[in-house]
Amino acid sequence: MYNGAFAACPDPIDFRAYTLINLYKDPNAYVLKGEASSVERPAFRNYLGEVFATQRDANYAELAQGDHSRSGGQYDIWQAVFGPAGTDGYPKPIFDKVTGVIDPSVAAYWRDHYDLSHIIERDWATLGRSSRARFTSMWVTVTTTI
């Protein structure tokens, strides 16, 4: 544990908020389903908050640049960092790039290995004892363009 953490442009640290996707509860990364209709999930906004690309748009662009998480784009980089290796040796996708369907087994791997909220709760008996006198605060920004 640290004495404090200040992240101005963090990568995800809790995958209940992976951009606007809850990897543990949402079945699809691209679509928000309501009782009467479905809407595309935003990915990028301009300074006025207007959506100019959806999650589908961003991931289709990455898919066009390279398959198997090789685009160098943000979502593919996160898959390469957080994900387990698939049977083909490439990162196992957290969701299908074409359909947006989330793979719960990959989400469980991300949670167990990289979700800081989950890890702190799971391992508090050990972490709390070693950090009781040192840990003071954590601050993370709320807004970003992605």
Side-chain angles (χ1 to χ4, degrees), residues 4 8 14 19-20 34 41 53-54 56-57 62 68 88 92 102 104 109 112 121 123 125-126 130-131 137 139:
D14 182 322
T19 64
L20 297 176
R41 217 182 276 272
T54 65
R56 188 182 310 270
D57 295 333
E62 287 190 7
H68 299 290
D88 58 3
K92 192 170 180 188
I102 296 170
Y109 181 91
D112 292 343
E121 288 174 16
D123 300 339
T126 304
S130 67
S131 65
S137 63
W139 174 87

Side-chain angles (χ1 to χ4, degrees), residues 122-133:
R122 180 191 67 201
D123 300 339
W124 186 248
T126 304
L127 296 173
R129 201 173 32 254
S130 67
S131 65
R132 189 169 293 126

Side-chain angles (χ1 to χ4, degrees), residues 69 79 84 91-97 103 106 110:
S69 297
Q79 291 190 123
K92 192 170 180 188
I94 187 66
F95 55 82
D96 183 288
K97 285 271 192 181
D103 184 332
V106 177
W110 285 30

Side-chain angles (χ1 to χ4, degrees), residues 3 26 28 30 35 39-40 45 54 58 64-65 69 71 79 89-90 95 102 107 109-110 116 119 122-123 127 140:
N3 190 23
D26 294 335
N28 192 289
Y30 296 161
E35 289 185 32
V39 295
E40 289 286 316
R45 298 176 185 271
T54 65
Q65 294 168 17
S69 297
S71 73
Q79 291 190 123
Y90 292 103
F95 55 82
I102 296 170
Y109 181 91
W110 285 30
L116 293 185
I119 292 167
R122 180 191 67 201
D123 300 339
L127 296 173
V140 180

Side-chain angles (χ1 to χ4, degrees), residues 62-79:
E62 287 190 7
L63 188 56
Q65 294 168 17
D67 61 355
H68 299 290
S69 297
R70 296 182 294 180
S71 73
Q74 187 64 72
Y75 293 92
D76 282 344
I77 290 168
W78 286 330
Q79 291 190 123

